[in-house]
Every structure is written in structure tokens, then in C-alpha cells.
């Protein structure tokens, strides 16, 4: 930032003007909370600064010329006609070259730096898999799996190793930095760090089909000790239905859902993989990355997921009775980590 201070001033103003519509601070590239986001913001300032400078200079010259050399009343002679000017040609070739070099050098070095710098040995590794239209997350060291919401510790580098299950997706958490494509059959990676606890919104930014626009996720950053406690609680999740109704729900889930969804530690023999892992589902803040996780919304989701998230691949369960749906909702809303 300091290096580019003079050029950055119009850039800051420009960025504020164009970005001030984003009220939610947890999804803002101009309010980054990690080193990658900050490095990228400096590049945005630099580029916006240079562009603003060029626009202003050109506009000023243009307006000056239009007024200074306009046709005046009573004017009889035609102004001197000039054709070609080596000096000017060289000048307006060299200036853009210089500006592009000023833009290119920091852009390339920063990008390579973000991409190539190896993660420290103690960096936490999280595997990310992109599906149409949801996100799977796995903590290979701990044997913990989750979906659509990924928990990380603050102040540490986190290594996301990504691949796509079907088509190309892209992982972007504006406040932390990014983006990174996920491809089928090939691992890509992105190393991010959150400096302070918080909830950071993430988006798929590669058009991947009908549900793409709502392919959201959340990064939830905790202080390291809180994060460790979270991992511990997810190693032995609490997945047994407690009330009569929830036990009924657990049975219905076995009959209808676990071919696609995994619920760990529930005594099911199958761990479905076609849909998000539902272990500890009550701790999820949203359903399918779209609506708040509460009884009413979960009922609506089960009866007609396509009304909530058009194009998604979960079948509607409108053939189940209201009582059966209530039981399933009760069971899912009891699922949590161990205390
Ligand atoms: C054919 C496979 C399939 C079946 C069967 C299925 N689902 Fe799903 N489910 C999905 C997919 C795919 C998604 C992800 C939708 C999206 O967000 O794009 C999903 C999403 C969900 C979500 C949101 C998860 C999250 O992380 O926010 C819940 C809750 C859910 N399903 C519950 C159920 C329940 C309960 C049943 C049984 C009554 C069930 N599903 C049956 C495929 C299935
Ligand atoms: Cu996608």
C-alpha cells in the first residue's frame, strides 16, 4: 500500500464509490481480513488508481481542447491542418507501456507469491470438493467431514486442496482472498488465513449450471482453542434421535435420505455421498447455503427444495405426510457435535 500511496488515492475513492453498496462487511474485497485479501486489495488500488489517473488526464485534455478550439461566431478561416506528429505518436505509445509495466510487475509477482509460496508444515489441510451446487469439506487429519460451512482457526495458514466432482467450480471468499478454480480430476490449492474470528461469505464464481448463483458457502473462523474444541466435538458427533418423534425421524431418514446423505455416528450402515454431509446439522447456520436453518425453512426445503434453490439436485419429498416431515425435521434439528 505505502509504495503506491500517491496513485492509490483516486483508487481508494473509486473503490469506495463502486463497492459501498455491499453493506455486509463479511463479503467485501475492500475490507479484507487476511494477508491474501490484503495483497489483492493493494493490486485493486493500484489498477484503479492508474485507470482513474488516465481517465482524468484524458478527460481534462479533451474538455480543454473542445472549448479552446471550438468554432467561434464570425470565424472565417479554417485552422491550420496538421497531419501526423512523431513526437506525439512516441509519447502516447510510451506512456501506456510505462503504465502497463507499473501494473504488470506487482500483479505478476503478487499472484505468483500467493500461488507458489509453500504452506508452513503445521498448516491445517482441508479438502474441498465442489458439487453441483454445494460444497463438501473434509479434515483429513481428524477424520471430520462437513458441508457448505467450513470452520478454520484464526491466525494460521489453512491449505485448501480442491477438486470438482462434476464440472468446473471456483472457490471465492472475498474477505479472505482468492479465487481458485476447482477442476475434475486435478487438485488445485489455495492458502488462506483469517486474522480475526468471524463469518466470511463464500461463493462459487465459475458458472456451473442452473444452481450456480446460489452455490454459497461460509468460512467460520474461530480462535485456535475454540477451533480445536470444534474438531473434537465433530469427531464423536451426537447423532441419535432423543425423543420418540426424533427416533421416528431417524428411521424415516434411513429409508429416504441416507443413500445420498451421510450422518456419522447414527448407526447407519451407509454414508451417502450424493448430497451434503448432514452430521451435526443443527449447527449449520443455513440450509443449502441459502436460507436460515430453522424448523420452518427445513420443512419448506424438504417439501420443495427447488422453490428454495432452483436447479438443485435434491428430490422433493412432497409424498411424505406432514407428520413424517415433522419427525424428520425434529431429528435433523437435534443433530449436533458431542459436548
Ligand atoms: C437423490 C439424492 C438425495 C436424496 C434422496 C435426498 N437428498 Fe437432500 N440433498 C441432496 C443434494 C444433492 C443436496 C444439495 C442441494 C444443493 O444445495 O444444491 C441436498 C441438500 C439437503 C439439505 C441441505 C444441506 C445443507 O448442507 O445445507 C438437507 C437438510 C437435506 N438435503 C435433507 C434431506 C433429507 C432429510 C432427505 C430425506 C428425506 C434427503 N435430503 C434426501 C440430495 C438428496
Ligand atoms: Cu459451482
Amino acid at each position: 500500500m505505502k509504495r503506491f500511496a500517491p496513485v492509490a488515492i483516486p483508487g481508494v475513492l473509486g473503490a469506495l464509490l463502486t463497492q459501498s453498496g455491499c453493506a455486509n462487511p463479511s463479503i467485501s474485497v475492500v475490507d479484507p481480513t487476511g494477508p491474501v485479501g490484503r495483497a489483492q486489495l493493494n493490486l485493486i488500488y493500484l489498477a484503479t488508481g492508474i485507470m482513474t489517473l488516465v481517465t482524468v488526464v484524458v478527460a481534462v485534455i479533451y474538455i480543454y481542447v473542445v472549448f479552446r478550439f471550438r468554432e467561434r461566431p464570425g470565424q472565417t478561416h479554417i485552422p491550420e491542418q496538421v497531419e501526423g506528429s512523431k513526437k506525439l505518436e512516441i509519447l502516447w505509445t510510451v506512456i501506456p507501456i510505462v503504465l502497463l509495466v507499473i501494473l504488470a510487475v506487482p500483479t505478476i509477482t503478487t499472484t505468483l507469491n500467493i500461488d507458489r509460496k509453500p504452506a508452513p508444515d503445521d498448516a491445517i489441510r482441508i479438502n474441498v470438493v465442489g458439487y453441483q451446487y454445494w460444497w463438501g469439506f473434509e479434515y483429513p487429519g481428524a477424520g471430520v467431514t462437513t458441508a457448505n460451512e467450513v470452520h478454520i482457526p484464526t491466525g494460521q495458514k489453512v491449505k485448501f486442496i480442491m477438486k470438482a466432482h462434476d464440472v468446473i467450480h471456483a472457490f471465492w471468499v472475498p474477505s479472505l482472498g482468492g479465487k481458485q478454480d476447482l477442476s475434475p480430476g486435478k487438485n488445485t490449492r489455495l492458502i488462506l488465513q483469517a486474522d480475526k474470528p468471524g463469518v466470511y461469505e463464500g461463493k462459487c464464481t465459475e458458472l456451473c449450471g442452473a444452481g450456480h448463483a446460489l452455490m454459497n458457502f461460509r468460512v467460520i473462523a474461530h480462535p485456535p482453542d475454540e477451533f480445536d474444541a470444534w474438531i473434537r466435538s465433530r469427531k464423536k458427533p451426537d447423532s441419535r434421535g432423543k425423543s420418540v418423534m426424533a427416533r421416528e425421524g431417524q428411521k424415516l431418514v434411513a429409508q429416504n435420505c441416507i443413500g445420498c446423505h451421510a450422518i456419522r455416528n447414527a448407526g447407519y450402515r451407509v454414508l451417502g455421498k450424493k448430497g451434503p454431509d448432514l452430521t451435526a446439522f443443527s449447527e449449520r447456520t443455513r440450509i443449502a447455503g441459502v436460507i436460515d436453518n430453522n424448523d420452518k425453512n427445513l420443512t419448506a426445503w424438504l417439501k420443495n427444495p427447488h422453490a428454495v434453490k432452483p436447479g438443485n439436485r435434491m428430490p422433493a419429498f412432497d409424498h411424505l405426510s406432514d407428520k413424517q416431515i415433522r419427525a424428520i425435521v425434529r431429528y435433523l434439528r437435534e443433530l449436533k457435535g458431542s459436548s
Side-chain angles (χ1 to χ4, degrees):
M1 177 71 221
K2 275 192 198 97
R3 226 171 356 140
F4 314 125
V7 226
I9 295 160
V12 177
L13 292 176
L16 284 179
L17 281 175
T18 50
Q19 298 282 340
S20 53
C22 313
N24 190 343
S26 62
I27 184 165
S28 171
V29 283
V30 291
D31 183 22
T33 17
V36 176
R38 270 195 300 278
Q40 290 175 330
L41 179 59
N42 287 343
L43 291 178
I44 294 174
Y45 283 149
L46 177 66
T48 318
I50 290 177
M51 286 185 285
T52 312
L53 197 73
V54 170
T55 310
V56 167
V57 169
V58 170
V60 166
I61 294 175
Y62 174 78
I63 292 168
Y64 171 76
V65 167
V66 164
F67 278 94
R68 175 74 181 73
F69 301 106
R70 72 187 186 279
E71 190 182 13
R72 293 191 170 81
Q75 182 174 331
T76 49
H77 72 280
I78 294 178
E80 187 196 340
Q81 300 295 296
V82 185
E83 201 177 305
S85 159
K86 262 224 178 81
K87 239 195 240 161
L88 273 181
E89 297 279 357
I90 292 173
L91 196 66
W92 63 50
T93 307
V94 169
I95 291 176
I97 291 177
V98 170
L99 289 181
L100 287 179
V101 169
I102 295 176
L103 191 60
V105 171
T107 303
I108 293 170
T109 48
T110 306
T111 310
L112 290 184
N113 216 359
I114 291 170
D115 196 40
R116 298 231 178 113
K117 216 189 222 162
D121 290 339
D122 60 343
I124 289 185
R125 173 181 168 154
I126 299 177
N127 294 338
V128 182
V129 184
Y131 299 80
Q132 286 171 313
Y133 302 99
W134 57 278
W135 301 86
F137 298 105
E138 191 197 348
Y139 300 74
V144 169
T145 313
T146 181
N148 292 332
E149 284 174 14
V150 57
H151 295 247
I152 63 168
T154 51
Q156 290 177 31
K157 298 254 185 293
V158 179
K159 187 157 78 171
F160 292 98
I161 306 287
M162 320 186 188
K163 64 171 188 253
H165 177 72
D166 32 46
V167 300
I168 300 176
H169 302 276
F171 179 99
W172 187 32
V173 189
S175 304
L176 299 182
K179 320 155 174 177
Q180 178 61 57
D181 269 11
L182 292 74
S183 303
K186 176 187 159 210
N187 281 348
T188 49
R189 59 162 214 185
L190 184 64
I191 297 161
L192 293 179
Q193 175 178 327
D195 291 338
K196 51 177 204 260
V199 178
Y200 306 107
E201 302 281 359
K203 284 250 164 213
C204 176
T205 51
E206 185 71 67
L207 181 56
C208 59
H212 161 72
L214 296 176
M215 186 168 162
N216 306 327
F217 62 102
R218 276 182 171 160
V219 176
I220 300 171
H222 309 269
D225 49 338
E226 222 178 79
F227 172 77
D228 292 342
W230 179 82
I231 284 280
R232 275 197 306 276
S233 85
R234 287 299 173 93
K235 279 186 178 167
K236 272 216 158 298
D238 181 359
S239 306
R240 304 267 174 180
K242 277 171 267 313
S243 56
V244 176
M245 193 174 170
R247 277 198 293 277
E248 178 59 27
Q250 186 174 354
K251 259 187 243 149
L252 287 162
V253 167
Q255 289 156 10
N256 293 285
C257 321
I258 59 160
C260 292
H261 291 286
I263 300 177
R264 280 148 218 280
N265 220 19
Y268 296 137
R269 264 169 308 184
V270 192
L271 289 176
K273 289 201 154 118
K274 284 188 203 148
D277 192 301
L278 296 181
T279 308
F281 182 73
S282 73
E283 293 171 7
R284 210 71 65 75
T285 63
R286 280 188 306 202
I287 300 168
V290 181
I291 45 175
D292 287 344
N293 186 4
N294 57 42
D295 289 7
K296 191 169 144 264
N297 285 344
L298 188 53
T299 307
W301 172 261
L302 295 177
K303 286 187 172 169
N304 189 0
H306 303 275
V308 176
K309 189 174 186 176
N312 88 82
R313 305 240 160 131
M314 156 118 176
F317 282 85
D318 43 6
H319 54 280
L320 296 180
S321 70
D322 283 354
K323 199 170 155 240
Q324 287 173 316
I325 296 272
R326 267 202 305 280
I328 293 175
V329 168
R330 171 67 68 84
Y331 174 57
L332 291 182
R333 301 266 305 143
E334 277 181 5
L335 294 174
K336 52 185 189 351
S338 62
S339 38

